[in-house]
Amino acid sequence: MRDLWTSLASILGVFAFCQTLLQTVFPPELRFATVKFFNRLFNCFSSYCYFDITEIDGVNTNELYNAVQLYLSSSVSITGNRLSLTRALNSSGFTFGLANNDSIVDTFNGVNVLWEHVVTQRQAQNFSWRPLPDEKRGFTLRIMKKDKSLILYSYLDYIMEKANEIRRKNQERLLYTNSRGGSLDSRGHPWESVPFKHPSTFDTLAMDPERKKEIMEDLQDFANGQSFYQKTGRAWKRGYLLYGPPGTGKSSMIAAMANHLGYDIYDLELTEVHNNSELRKLLMKTSSKSIIVIEDIDCSINLTNRKKNSNNTSSRNYYDPAAELRGACGGSGCGEEGGNSITLSGLLNFTDGLWSCCGSERIFVFTTNHIEKLDPALLRSGRMDMHIFMNYCSFSALKILLRNYLGYEEGDLEVSVMKELEQVIDKARMTPADISEVLIKSRRFKEKAVKELLETLKLAAERNPKNGLLRRTNGEVDDEEEEQEKRALESPKEESEIEDSCSKGDEEGEEEEEEKIK
């Protein structure tokens, strides 16, 4: 046993002597130069090139590293064998990633590339104001030299875009509202936010399927149209006008749009905005990839008439504080609106002026129950690009409600029952909200719910004096609301006519006040 230990000690001594001799004959500089030479020689004969993407670039986090990690998670979660599982703060989903020193093959434009996740132990570091992690992480990208100029930059841009899309889908969406009276929060922002949890989607929205498909395609074209808007010199924004009777799903449509695109929602309350300047500041504090909503635009505030104000100011060449106050109040008392002086011109500049271009990829949505009350300037293209009529419940929308609340798919109900529903739904002129309420009450007893719905529809059809003559089948709407829109768009009132009607209304109001006083 002693001879064995003696032999081992002799071998270790010889090895240490040889190592000392090599370090003496070949100093570190010579060894480094030798390794560098052989690496260059190897690279000359190699058909691949390598790119290292470290987690930390100096003292800052490398954004490209996080983007690659998110991008690879979409494919690793399907094909990987050993995965790392993470969930970021304020994220609604889990992220799968490559395990340490694992690799995966990706394909872009028909070219195969290799990604390897390299994790090594960091050497002992000296004192630093920002201590670094114990492990050094990074990705190594291997591309064939002949493909480098073809795909490298376009591939990295594609990775950044996909990572932003994944991050937006996983991130918790927010619903904003402007602070009361224009006050600021603790961070100096004029918007207050809460998590947006509305479950409405285009799949559950009670609407004609063809119309929904048209809206979804328009939204998707907008979201993917950055290059188009830049090429045509247009601001990357779009406006939608939702109009129709109450209870037809305008708010659900907005929620479905936000869930479809993954956008935040800014619900703008105009009654809390004092003037046009404050309105512009609110617009500047909104983020990209968002939907700015103004509900019930026809009755939220009294917009002043542009022609009337311009005439009043042009006929006055001196400073009149009383007239200035009257103009700020829209020609009426300030008590009801709390000093609100937003003008129609300010609102138009908000949606289609120079200030509307201070952000990108934003959607403006206005809702109203009475489109005929809106100024024609709000309805033109560039401000409200797409007009969506939210109509009474049609037969195709009724089938969606039956599926949502009772679980009935196409063909589950008897043919005779479906024919009765189809015959009476157009004559009943009931909103999706009213029909949903009937189905909710008896949703545990499906047959009873359908029976009660049929009775309710028949009763509504009998009470309807128009008897459904103004509506057609297959979603072709020829209703009073659409006729009002046509009149507003095709033959809008001249400004002089609007002014005359406004002045006439003021004179009548004055006469009524005098009669009351007498």
Side-chain angles (χ1 to χ4, degrees):
M1 188 67 180
R2 183 177 298 176
D3 295 338
L4 178 60
W5 285 110
T6 304
S7 301
L8 290 175
S10 302
I11 294 173
L12 291 175
V14 173
F15 179 77
F17 174 76
C18 294
Q19 186 177 11
T20 304
L21 181 63
L22 289 175
Q23 291 178 354
T24 304
V25 178
F26 299 99
E29 294 80 4
L30 180 60
R31 294 199 304 271
F32 177 77
T34 304
V35 172
K36 186 176 181 180
F37 170 76
F38 280 107
N39 284 336
R40 288 185 176 180
L41 185 64
F42 173 77
N43 292 332
C44 291
F45 292 98
S46 175
S47 59
Y48 296 98
C49 54
Y50 299 84
F51 302 91
D52 294 329
I53 302 173
T54 57
E55 180 183 15
I56 298 177
D57 183 14
V59 295
N60 299 319
T61 302
N62 190 352
E63 184 181 358
L64 184 56
Y65 174 87
N66 296 330
V68 171
Q69 192 174 36
L70 280 176
Y71 168 73
L72 294 179
S73 67
S74 60
S75 56
V76 170
S77 59
I78 300 175
T79 60
N81 295 323
R82 187 177 182 85
L83 309 173
S84 63
L85 183 63
T86 58
R87 179 172 180 174
L89 184 65
N90 295 329
S91 175
S92 59
F94 296 95
T95 301
F96 296 89
L98 278 173
N100 297 348
N101 302 317
D102 200 358
S103 61
I104 186 174
V105 177
D106 189 29
T107 303
F108 178 74
N109 290 341
V111 177
N112 292 331
V113 299
L114 177 70
W115 286 100
E116 183 179 3
H117 191 207
V118 181
V119 180
T120 57
Q121 291 294 325
R122 193 181 300 274
Q123 296 180 355
Q125 52 183 323
N126 298 326
F127 173 78
S128 175
W129 291 105
R130 184 186 178 185
L132 298 176
D134 295 334
E135 292 182 339
K136 185 179 180 180
R137 300 182 181 89
F139 287 101
T140 299
L141 172 63
R142 190 187 74 178
I143 303 177
M144 296 192 71
K145 290 182 178 179
K146 64 182 183 66
D147 299 326
K148 174 184 174 182
S149 59
L150 296 177
I151 72 163
L152 179 60
Y153 295 106
S154 58
Y155 182 48
L156 294 179
D157 291 339
Y158 173 75
I159 289 175
M160 295 296 292
E161 292 177 3
K162 292 294 292 184
N164 289 333
E165 181 180 346
I166 295 172
R167 190 180 293 112
R168 188 171 67 251
K169 288 182 178 179
N170 293 339
Q171 189 175 5
E172 187 177 50
R173 286 185 293 277
L174 298 176
L175 173 63
Y176 293 87
T177 184
N178 48 311
S179 302
R180 182 173 181 85
S183 60
L184 304 179
D185 62 6
S186 59
R187 296 175 298 173
H189 294 171
W191 295 96
E192 301 174 355
S193 65
V194 294
F196 179 68
K197 300 291 186 180
H198 202 294
S200 176
T201 63
F202 278 103
D203 185 53
T204 61
L205 190 64
M207 193 177 186
D208 181 67
E210 293 297 327
R211 186 61 170 161
K212 284 197 295 186
K213 181 180 178 182
E214 179 184 352
I215 297 171
M216 292 171 65
E217 290 176 350
D218 188 80
L219 290 170
Q220 206 60 47
D221 289 342
F222 167 78
N224 300 330
Q226 181 178 10
S227 59
F228 169 78
Y229 282 89
Q230 290 178 348
K231 181 179 66 175
T232 56
R234 291 173 59 94
W236 194 9
K237 64 181 183 61
R238 193 156 179 81
Y240 293 86
L241 175 66
L242 309 182
Y243 68 100
T248 51
K250 292 184 283 294
S251 298
S252 297
M253 169 65 76
I254 296 172
M257 295 168 67
N259 289 327
H260 179 70
L261 296 176
Y263 287 4
D264 292 335
I265 295 180
Y266 288 85
D267 185 14
L268 178 60
E269 181 58 51
L270 287 179
T271 57
E272 296 295 336
V273 184
H274 295 149
N275 48 52
N276 295 336
S277 176
E278 188 176 322
L279 187 64
R280 288 194 297 268
K281 292 178 182 178
L282 285 171
L283 179 65
M284 294 173 61
K285 291 298 183 178
T286 59
S287 61
S288 299
K289 299 183 184 297
S290 60
I291 300 177
I292 302 174
V293 180
I294 301 180
E295 294 195 271
D296 298 325
I297 182 63
D298 58 300
C299 59
S300 56
I301 60 173
N302 293 324
L303 298 175
T304 59
N305 184 270
R306 294 171 295 167
K307 181 70 174 180
K308 187 173 182 179
N309 289 340
S310 62
N311 289 340
N312 290 341
T313 54
S314 61
S315 62
R316 187 177 64 250
N317 56 2
Y318 60 90
Y319 178 71
D320 186 358
E324 192 74 22
L325 180 60
R326 288 194 301 271
C329 299
S332 61
C334 293
E336 296 180 359
E337 297 296 336
N340 188 297
S341 60
I342 299 176
T343 63
L344 180 60
S345 177
L347 184 61
L348 296 180
N349 290 330
F350 176 82
T351 57
D352 194 31
L354 292 176
W355 289 99
S356 66
C357 307
C358 61
S360 61
E361 198 172 353
R362 290 187 299 195
I363 293 176
F364 292 88
V365 178
F366 287 2
T367 69
T368 180
N369 297 332
H370 305 282
I371 191 173
E372 71 279 0
K373 294 182 179 180
L374 299 184
D375 191 288
L378 277 172
L379 304 178
R380 74 166 178 84
S381 299
R383 287 162 183 155
M384 295 296 107
D385 303 290
M386 191 173 187
H387 298 181
I388 303 174
F389 180 52
M390 307 298 293
N391 198 8
Y392 292 104
C393 189
S394 62
F395 181 63
S396 57
L398 176 61
K399 290 190 289 185
I400 297 175
L401 294 176
L402 291 174
R403 183 193 64 191
N404 293 344
Y405 294 102
L406 304 181
Y408 280 129
E409 297 292 343
E410 189 77 22
D412 290 347
L413 283 173
E414 297 181 1
V415 178
S416 59
V417 176
M418 294 300 292
K419 285 185 177 180
E420 285 189 82
L421 292 173
E422 185 176 7
Q423 292 173 357
V424 75
I425 185 65
D426 288 334
K427 300 178 182 179
R429 294 173 62 84
M430 290 182 63
T431 64
D434 294 333
I435 294 179
S436 299
E437 186 61 29
V438 176
L439 296 177
I440 288 176
K441 289 191 301 183
S442 304
R443 64 184 182 276
R444 291 177 297 175
F445 310 99
K446 297 182 179 181
E447 295 181 357
K448 179 183 177 182
V450 174
K451 183 178 179 181
E452 290 182 355
L453 175 61
L454 187 56
E455 294 176 354
T456 304
L457 290 174
K458 290 181 179 179
L459 184 61
E462 293 176 358
R463 292 179 177 178
N464 183 15
K466 299 178 182 180
N467 202 21
L469 294 179
L470 295 177
R471 304 185 76 248
R472 300 177 183 175
T473 57
N474 298 327
E476 297 180 2
V477 181
D478 191 15
D479 223 340
E480 288 183 350
E481 290 83 356
E482 191 171 20
E483 290 297 330
Q484 290 168 351
E485 182 194 17
K486 290 180 180 179
R487 290 195 295 269
L489 294 177
E490 295 176 0
S491 57
K493 291 182 179 180
E494 297 293 336
E495 291 186 346
S496 58
E497 296 179 5
I498 298 176
E499 182 180 2
D500 293 340
S501 62
C502 292
S503 60
K504 183 178 180 182
D506 294 339
E507 292 175 358
E508 293 177 353
E510 292 176 359
E511 292 177 358
E512 291 180 359
E513 291 294 333
E514 291 177 358
E515 291 179 359
K516 290 181 180 180
I517 294 174
K518 292 178 180 179

